[in-house]
Amino acid sequence: MTSVCDIISEKADSFGTKFDANPYYSIDDLLRSETTTDVMVICTPNGLHAEHSIKSLQAGKHVLCEKPMCLSTADGTKVVRIADESRKKIFVVKQNRYNEPVLHVKKLLEQKKLGKIFSFQINCFWNRPQAYYMDSWRGTKNLDGGILFTQFSHFIDLLHWLLGDIDVIEGFKNSYGERTHFEIEDTGVAILKMKSGAIGTLNYTINSYSKNLEGSFLVFGEKGSVKIGGQYLNTLEWFDVEGEAGPILSQAQLPNDYGYYQGSMSNHHKVYDELVHSLDGSGSLLEARDAIATIEIIEKIYAATKEV
């Protein structure tokens, strides 16, 4: 690491000291000064991802952007266009693709071991307390965008990665919790029909009492049923597939721990390893062009979801 940037100078200074990096307090100053930096990692609020990615690409940097890539398909398309014009790469962090149970089910689907997929069920039952939203960009329409962007875009990414494109959507959402500094939904449900013909449901909330309860993805096919479960898609809770023995998986990794709440799996080291390989031309890290599909699906879900 050569440099770090945060508009809160104390955070930039602290991080810079810890990792022996030059601290900056604006992205423009960083890009103007750090002319030899190869890669920019964007970890700013959701609504700033597109702007900061574009500035970095135009400054001649490759970009690794945290999820979500942006908050609109239009912004995503613009980012990809700028990357092409700049002849630079932009990748998006989707660390749950490296979860061992997810990789196993992906392989089963690629090999047609489950046969025709009939239906699926995705459950996202997490807890985000009031403290998470205090004095923060989180919970705002412009910078957060909604819990499908901030909490559950990993699940939407896996839906597309495993089962393809969506055809028909109907849903409902609301905000039931008594949170302040909160402009978005805290609960939703969607009924989805895939272009393959498979049907399923997406049930999501941040109102699980006191702590995260479940993050799961069930797939029902003509030759088997599987459930990726745990709180973070980190276990294989159900496996019954014709002619297949249940896999022996290594012990599940711990999730990211942020103090008063926990997030997705701590696979970022695998993302960074794959980043290096991808820049060398031998890796397969998710590029922004493919990541736009996640943003498009979230937009479609919200557009087809009624407030109740």
Side-chain angles (χ1 to χ4, degrees):
M1 181 183 298
T2 61
S3 57
V4 61
C5 178
D6 198 303
I7 60 173
I8 301 175
S9 59
E10 293 84 356
K11 289 185 177 181
D13 291 340
S14 175
F15 206 78
T17 299
K18 183 176 180 179
F19 294 98
D20 192 25
N22 298 322
Y24 294 91
Y25 314 126
S26 81
I27 188 172
D28 296 314
D29 288 343
L30 186 155
L31 292 172
R32 189 163 40 246
S33 301
E34 297 287 349
T35 57
T36 60
T37 300
D38 296 315
V39 181
M40 285 284 288
V41 181
I42 308 299
C43 305
T44 50
N46 303 343
L48 298 176
H49 285 180
E51 175 190 341
H52 291 165
S53 294
I54 288 171
K55 285 186 175 183
S56 301
L57 292 165
Q58 290 176 331
K61 318 296 184 187
H62 299 294
V63 172
L64 175 62
C65 184
E66 263 293 349
K67 62 81 187 166
M69 172 190 172
C70 54
L71 293 181
S72 73
T73 303
D75 278 348
T77 302
K78 182 178 180 181
V79 170
V80 169
R81 177 175 58 80
I82 298 297
D84 289 341
E85 293 173 355
S86 304
R87 297 186 178 181
K88 293 297 175 180
K89 296 284 190 179
I90 174 166
F91 305 98
V92 181
V93 176
K94 297 291 186 181
Q95 75 268 22
N96 281 3
R97 287 193 179 198
Y98 299 92
N99 293 4
E100 198 173 357
V102 171
L103 288 171
H104 189 78
V105 172
K106 174 68 171 175
K107 186 176 180 180
L108 287 175
L109 291 166
E110 288 178 339
Q111 296 177 346
K112 311 295 183 183
K113 293 292 183 68
L114 297 177
K116 180 177 175 60
I117 303 304
F118 298 140
S119 62
F120 61 92
Q121 179 178 309
I122 302 174
N123 292 328
C124 313
F125 305 146
W126 284 5
N127 171 274
R128 289 296 179 268
Q130 174 63 62
Y132 180 81
Y133 295 99
M134 291 298 292
D135 302 318
S136 172
W137 56 270
R138 301 186 183 103
T140 64
K141 290 181 179 179
N142 291 335
L143 292 181
D144 183 314
I147 62 176
L148 288 183
F149 283 113
T150 303
Q151 274 70 49
F152 303 127
S153 62
H154 290 301
F155 293 80
I156 304 301
D157 171 64
L158 293 181
L159 171 64
H160 183 264
W161 195 45
L162 297 176
L163 299 183
D165 292 323
I166 289 178
D167 190 23
V168 179
I169 305 167
E170 185 174 351
F172 301 93
K173 66 178 181 178
N174 206 341
S175 182
Y176 295 97
E178 295 183 0
R179 297 178 180 86
T180 58
H181 308 278
F182 193 78
E183 303 171 352
I184 58 176
E185 85 288 358
D186 64 21
T187 300
V189 62
I191 302 172
L192 310 172
K193 178 179 177 293
M194 311 304 289
K195 289 188 177 179
S196 67
I199 59 173
T201 58
L202 168 67
N203 196 338
Y204 58 101
T205 184
I206 54 170
N207 288 332
S208 175
Y209 182 70
S210 103
K211 59 185 177 182
N212 295 345
L213 174 63
E214 178 179 341
S216 64
F217 197 137
L218 292 81
V219 180
F220 302 95
E222 64 177 332
K223 296 182 180 180
S225 303
V226 294
K227 179 182 181 181
I228 307 168
Q231 294 183 22
Y232 314 98
L233 299 168
N234 58 328
T235 65
L236 197 55
E237 290 190 5
W238 184 263
F239 184 91
D240 188 4
V241 180
E242 179 183 297
E244 294 288 317
I248 299 175
L249 304 180
S250 59
Q251 186 175 1
Q253 287 184 265
L254 296 175
N256 292 311
D257 193 337
Y258 301 104
Y260 57 87
Y261 75 98
Q262 291 183 326
S264 296
M265 294 307 298
S266 52
N267 285 334
H268 281 73
H269 62 292
K270 297 180 181 179
V271 172
Y272 280 84
D273 287 344
E274 196 65 18
L275 169 67
V276 174
H277 294 315
S278 294
L279 290 176
D280 287 340
S282 60
S284 58
L285 189 61
L286 180 68
E287 293 196 36
R289 181 174 282 100
D290 297 321
I292 292 175
T294 299
I295 306 304
E296 185 175 17
I297 290 172
I298 293 174
E299 283 187 312
K300 287 181 178 178
I301 292 174
Y302 278 144
T305 298
K306 301 175 184 177
E307 293 274 359
V308 293

